[in-house]
Amino acid sequence: MMNDMALCRKNGELGEPSEKVYFLKQTVGNACGTIGILHAVGNATSEINLVEGSYFDRFYKSTANMDPYERAAFLEKDREMEDAHAVAATAGDTEASSDVDEHYICFTCVDGELYELDGRKSQPISHGPSSPSNLLQDAAKVIKAMIQKIPDSMNFNVMALSKKEKTVSYQDKYVNVVLLSWVEDRS
């Protein structure tokens, strides 16, 4: 059976992604949620004001000119992130397990293209044209296609970063979407 990357290559869908896409490889086990957040914020740094000197500000400035593997190596050595990840992993009521069957990925729009960012893959995957105003709908189409491959699974949830000042919810039989929002402080 052909994997997603081989199928994309066969169908001619796997071109070179835009150099503006912020992408890093996942080389640390059980860290896909962290990688997903880093992908989401890393592709929104031109739209949001990171606090000068904050963790994210320092991380993205340090890794801006690195390739995905160099970014992964930087993250592996990042003690501050490792400590924060350990605290978050043990903070809930559910015991952390290394036997995990879930995975987090990120969808973003860069240079008018919808990209799937999965740190397990070798590069971002383009899913065709999109725009910030259509990102939710375009990503939902791709996610629905993924769900059709394993229709009995109930393990699909979506979160999004947004500049909107309100929370928007969208739900259908297969996809739950919660649009998280923040208000920018440009003072």
Side-chain angles (χ1 to χ4, degrees):
M1 185 171 183
M2 214 178 281
N3 68 28
D4 288 342
M5 295 295 284
L7 187 59
C8 287
R9 279 191 188 90
K10 179 181 177 223
N11 294 335
E13 299 167 4
L14 194 61
E16 285 300 313
S18 168
E19 290 185 15
K20 293 181 183 176
V21 177
Y22 185 90
F23 180 73
L24 68 149
K25 287 290 295 169
Q26 180 180 338
T27 56
V28 176
N30 212 7
C32 56
T34 300
I35 300 297
I37 290 168
L38 291 172
H39 281 147
V41 175
N43 285 288
T45 57
S46 65
E47 300 294 321
I48 59 177
N49 290 326
L50 297 175
V51 174
E52 186 72 32
S54 68
Y55 173 79
F56 282 134
D57 180 61
R58 293 188 319 272
F59 182 85
Y60 293 117
K61 284 179 179 174
S62 296
T63 61
N65 296 316
M66 294 180 180
D67 69 33
Y69 291 94
E70 292 169 329
R71 290 174 179 154
F74 184 90
L75 183 62
E76 285 179 23
K77 297 173 188 169
D78 189 334
R79 185 74 180 159
E80 187 176 0
M81 178 58 83
E82 183 179 342
D83 292 345
H85 189 267
V87 168
T90 58
D93 293 334
T94 306
E95 186 176 325
S97 170
S98 60
D99 184 27
V100 178
D101 193 25
E102 287 85 25
H103 186 62
Y104 295 93
I105 60 175
C106 174
F107 288 92
T108 190
C109 179
V110 178
D111 282 347
E113 290 284 318
L114 174 66
Y115 285 100
E116 172 188 340
L117 306 178
D118 181 342
R120 297 180 305 181
K121 295 184 178 176
S122 63
Q123 69 182 47
I125 306 297
S126 173
H127 288 282
S130 189
S131 68
S133 61
N134 290 331
L135 175 61
L136 180 61
Q137 294 85 355
D138 294 338
K141 289 176 191 174
V142 176
I143 294 165
K144 285 181 181 182
M146 292 174 171
I147 291 169
Q148 289 178 349
K149 294 177 184 175
I150 47 174
D152 295 331
S153 176
M154 298 299 287
N155 292 327
F156 289 93
N157 288 285
V158 179
M159 292 184 288
L161 297 176
S162 170
K163 285 182 165 181
K164 303 283 184 196
E165 293 186 22
K166 60 184 179 178
T167 300
V168 177
S169 293
Y170 163 84
Q171 185 173 21
D172 73 10
K173 181 178 176 185
Y174 300 109
V175 181
N176 295 316
V177 176
V178 177
L179 201 53
L180 303 177
S181 59
W182 73 84
V183 178
E184 289 185 49
D185 181 358
R186 296 215 181 245
S187 55

